[in-house]
Amino acid sequence: MSLEPSERVAHVPPSGIRRFFELAEEMDDVISLGVGEPDFSAPWSAREAAIAALERGQTSYTANRGKRELREEIAADARRWNLEYDPDDEVLVTAGASEAIDLAFRALVDPGDTVAVAQPCYVSYTPGVTFSGGEVLDVPTRVEDEFTLTPEVLRAAGAEAADLLVYCYPNNPTGATMDRAELAEVAAFCREHDIAVLSDEIYADLTYEGEHVSIAELDGMRERTVVFNGFSKAYAMTGLRLGYAMGPKEVITAMNRIHQYTMLSAPTTAQNAGIEAIRNCREDVEEMRSQYDRRRNFVLSRFEEMGIDCFEATGAFYVFPECPGEDAAQFAEDLLEAESVAMVPGDAFGVGADGHLRASYATGLDELREAMDRLERFVS
Amino acid sequence: MEHADELLELLCENARYSTADLARLSGLPEATVEETIAELEAEGIIQGYTAVVDWDAVSDDRIQAHVELNVTLDRETSYRDVAERVAGFREVQGLRLVSGDYDFALEVEGQNMREVSRFISDKIAPLPEITQTVTHYIMETYKQSGHRFDDGDDDDRLSVTP
Ligand SMILES: Cc1ncc(COP(=O)(O)O)c(C=O)c1O
């Protein structure tokens, strides 16, 4: 046998972001609005807890599902969103939400199953479905719905026939959020057509208007939903690789079956940081959230003043303006070349994103101001 | 002045934000921003605007000291009276009444240690209310007014990520 990649893998194109990353990396003095992670470091007390645990020599595996203490904190924390999960068998701690999402696909998808992927969205769902042998059904959301998911777009895509639906709200790349009423319509659609839901809520804490609502809280949804969350965004802990899934016992058990063979347990140091993060870092999260909110106001105002259309994104740390040029990929390249400002063309995030750009405001205000000045110069 | 806190926070972060930027950041109309700041200034809530400077990076002929002062009071002399006398000196950059082992915490600035020492021994220590002074020279500043002095460009994130 040769070392040819399997067909499944060969089929999946490299991430659309990659090419753009290479362009940006070649240049000096780039102000990047293309970064999908916080510009803050993890709260000091969480880092300190990780260091202290290392000092005490806590370098062994933990239970497959994660340290019990951490699962208890996660379950208690989820009550903020009216979610009740048993830390014993309904919570699974993973190496980032990424692992949890992958586990869910592998645990739930049989060859030939159809997974509806609401887009534009985080880049890993479509490949994840493919890797697990499922068929992806693209569900493009629409700018006129402010990129929320609606029964209309689900129907238009033929999602009645789907077995699973996956989405993220607050959304990467659009910054869209969904309120209770909007989620209730999606929930009704899923119940009617017996569709299970994978709800990626990793940006839940970064919601700027109203409260985050989880679909799992709605009538008849808990039993058909897996909720993903993690420490990467709210706690600025991307590099520690810590996330989790919450769901009914059967699915968590199935996911853990894979996890126990492939990962054993999430990084122990990160778990120790995670316990402290939930217990004592609420204020840090609030402080970061309010910084993001200011920046969000700032970039939205600047776009408006420049005459660039942009719906009012209310979550995560992205805004998703309409591209002032004909072709978003070309515009992004030209902007990078002329003004050394990086924004990611929307189509890197799937269908429904044509003619848009993702601008991340997880960047210091001084840089954001400079980036906006450069953009203004470029478009005028 | 219902937006005072938000604007004060922004100004403490960067007193040079333009009115337009303050409006964009807070989501308030520019007129509201201007009115609120004018009011805050008029009421003395905003006492001034200043820069946070790393003087060590500028020159060697400037030194700061933190000075502990103990005082004795009598019926005719209050803390405020002592403060008035001490705060008058140009060398005194900051003056606070504090709880704990001493009464006043003083920030003093001068060209060199000798000058600051002479100022303390000639001007402050002899004041009749002062019973004791302890001078701590600032050797290195790591953080001031919320600004980290060593905070260079240490963004080690990849420039474009999903
Ligand atoms: C919507 C979404 N889900 C999941 C992830 C991955 O998170 P983690 O670092 O927990 O693997 C990201 C990261 O960008 C994301 O944007």
Side-chain angles (χ1 to χ4, degrees):
Chain A
M1 174 181 177
S2 72
L3 292 178
E4 281 287 300
S6 72
E7 253 180 56
R8 227 181 12 252
V9 172
H11 248 92
V12 173
S15 158
I17 283 201
R18 185 79 214 171
R19 207 179 76 79
F20 207 71
F21 166 69
E22 279 158 10
L23 282 177
E25 280 293 283
E26 276 170 22
M27 303 183 58
D28 296 332
D29 191 30
V30 171
I31 300 184
S32 182
L33 309 186
V35 189
E37 63 177 320
D39 56 315
F40 302 102
S41 293
W44 176 244
S45 74
R47 284 186 272 160
E48 196 33 51
I51 295 165
L54 284 173
E55 281 173 347
R56 287 196 305 273
Q58 294 199 11
T59 54
S60 29
Y61 298 127
T62 69
N64 293 140
R65 291 164 186 275
K67 291 183 78 157
R68 194 181 149 92
E69 240 181 318
L70 177 56
R71 279 180 280 131
E72 278 172 1
E73 291 297 337
I74 288 169
D77 193 51
R79 297 206 188 101
R80 286 191 292 141
W81 299 301
N82 303 320
L83 301 176
E84 280 287 343
Y85 288 101
D86 183 344
D88 280 333
D89 46 25
E90 295 185 317
V91 176
L92 179 64
V93 178
T94 54
S98 304
E99 193 217 346
I101 294 162
D102 177 52
L103 292 175
F105 288 141
R106 288 199 276 161
L108 296 172
V109 177
D110 278 317
D113 281 356
T114 299
V115 182
V117 181
Q119 301 172 42
C121 68
Y122 181 52
V123 297
S124 77
Y125 309 147
T126 294
V129 172
T130 309
F131 292 143
S132 62
E135 303 289 332
V136 171
L137 177 74
D138 294 328
V139 180
T141 58
R142 305 181 304 188
V143 63
E144 53 272 37
D145 301 325
E146 303 201 329
F147 296 104
T148 56
L149 188 56
T150 65
E152 289 74 40
V153 299
L154 283 164
R155 230 171 272 124
E160 294 95 332
D163 301 287
L164 255 180
L165 165 67
V166 56
Y167 64 70
C168 54
Y169 288 100
N171 183 269
N172 175 8
T174 64
T177 56
M178 286 183 64
D179 65 22
R180 187 177 296 274
E182 290 161 340
L183 284 169
E185 292 193 43
V186 171
F189 183 92
C190 292
R191 282 193 309 264
E192 185 187 344
H193 301 288
D194 195 22
I195 300 167
V197 177
L198 303 182
S199 179
D200 181 350
E201 303 178 18
I202 195 157
Y203 291 102
D205 266 317
L206 303 180
T207 298
Y208 307 107
E209 308 276 334
E211 293 280 306
H212 172 75
V213 181
S214 172
I215 199 166
E217 181 211 328
L218 306 181
D219 277 350
M221 292 308 291
R222 186 188 191 281
E223 61 263 35
R224 60 173 70 245
T225 304
V226 183
V227 175
F228 305 98
N229 206 326
F231 295 80
S232 285
K233 313 297 173 171
Y235 297 99
M237 277 169 47
T238 43
L240 274 81
R241 310 307 304 127
L242 192 67
Y244 54 92
M246 300 182 293
K249 181 176 171 182
E250 302 69 40
V251 62
I252 294 297
T253 305
M255 288 166 64
N256 187 37
R257 180 90 38 87
I258 308 172
H259 174 79
Q260 70 185 199
Y261 288 121
T262 55
M263 189 63 68
L264 276 82
S265 58
T268 303
T269 304
Q271 293 192 51
N272 285 311
I275 294 168
E276 174 67 13
I278 297 185
R279 278 189 190 151
N280 289 318
C281 299
R282 193 72 344 242
E283 270 182 44
D284 301 78
V285 174
E286 268 312 304
E287 171 61 25
M288 291 188 269
R289 201 191 71 90
S290 81
Q291 295 282 345
Y292 291 133
D293 193 18
R294 277 181 194 161
R295 299 171 186 179
R296 180 181 72 99
N297 286 329
F298 178 78
V299 287
L300 287 171
S301 311
R302 289 295 301 264
F303 283 145
E304 191 182 323
E305 291 157 20
M306 285 180 229
I308 296 175
D309 276 334
C310 187
F311 82 99
E312 197 194 325
T314 47
F317 35 62
Y318 310 104
V319 289
F320 205 57
E322 242 154 73
C323 178
E326 281 285 296
D327 169 354
Q330 191 60 48
F331 179 90
E333 240 172 77
D334 294 346
L335 174 66
L336 182 60
E337 199 138 295
E339 294 288 354
S340 301
V341 173
M343 292 203 260
V344 183
D347 58 12
F349 303 93
V351 298
D354 276 357
H356 285 81
L357 297 159
R358 185 189 76 172
S360 158
Y361 48 87
T363 291
L365 253 177
D366 291 341
E367 287 187 305
L368 273 182
R369 286 202 291 175
E370 175 64 24
M372 290 297 130
D373 290 346
R374 292 186 192 181
L375 176 65
E376 184 162 28
R377 196 161 60 205
F378 184 70
V379 296
S380 63
Chain B
M1 285 195 290
E2 60 177 315
H3 311 293
D5 286 357
E6 167 83 7
L7 290 172
L8 287 171
E9 236 175 75
L10 282 165
L11 287 170
C12 286
E13 195 177 281
N14 184 349
R16 292 201 63 192
Y17 283 140
S18 63
T19 305
D21 276 352
L22 289 169
R24 293 176 184 125
L25 289 162
S26 61
L28 299 170
E30 282 192 40
T32 311
V33 171
E34 259 175 24
E35 276 162 31
T36 309
I37 291 176
E39 250 175 275
L40 288 167
E41 288 171 351
E43 288 185 16
I45 293 173
I46 293 179
Q47 287 279 339
Y49 301 91
T50 173
V52 182
V53 179
D54 179 2
W55 285 111
D56 285 350
V58 180
S59 74
D60 288 336
D61 49 9
R62 197 184 275 260
I63 190 158
Q64 284 91 25
H66 170 91
V67 183
E68 303 173 2
L69 283 192
N70 266 310
V71 302
T72 158
L73 303 177
D74 57 40
R75 268 197 218 125
E76 272 78 51
T77 322
S78 67
Y79 280 128
R80 175 162 285 281
D81 297 324
V82 182
E84 291 289 336
R85 293 188 77 161
V86 173
F89 292 106
R90 179 183 45 79
E91 291 85 345
V92 175
Q93 296 288 312
L95 175 62
R96 292 180 162 118
L97 183 64
V98 296
S99 64
D101 285 345
Y102 53 96
D103 299 313
F104 287 100
L106 222 63
E107 284 166 46
V108 177
E109 193 173 284
Q111 283 193 346
N112 49 47
M113 281 200 199
R114 201 156 36 98
E115 188 187 283
V116 171
S117 303
R118 193 171 303 141
F119 169 70
I120 300 296
S121 60
D122 291 359
K123 301 283 172 45
I124 301 294
L127 293 175
E129 299 86 358
I130 309 285
T131 57
Q132 191 193 23
T133 71
V134 180
T135 304
H136 306 271
Y137 289 102
I138 308 291
M139 296 165 69
E140 182 93 56
T141 302
Y142 302 101
K143 188 175 182 182
Q144 189 179 320
S145 305
H147 295 262
R148 290 273 292 272
F149 278 20
D150 60 345
D151 220 12
D153 186 9
D154 58 356
D155 190 345
D156 54 0
R157 299 177 300 162
L158 300 176
S159 59
V160 180
T161 46

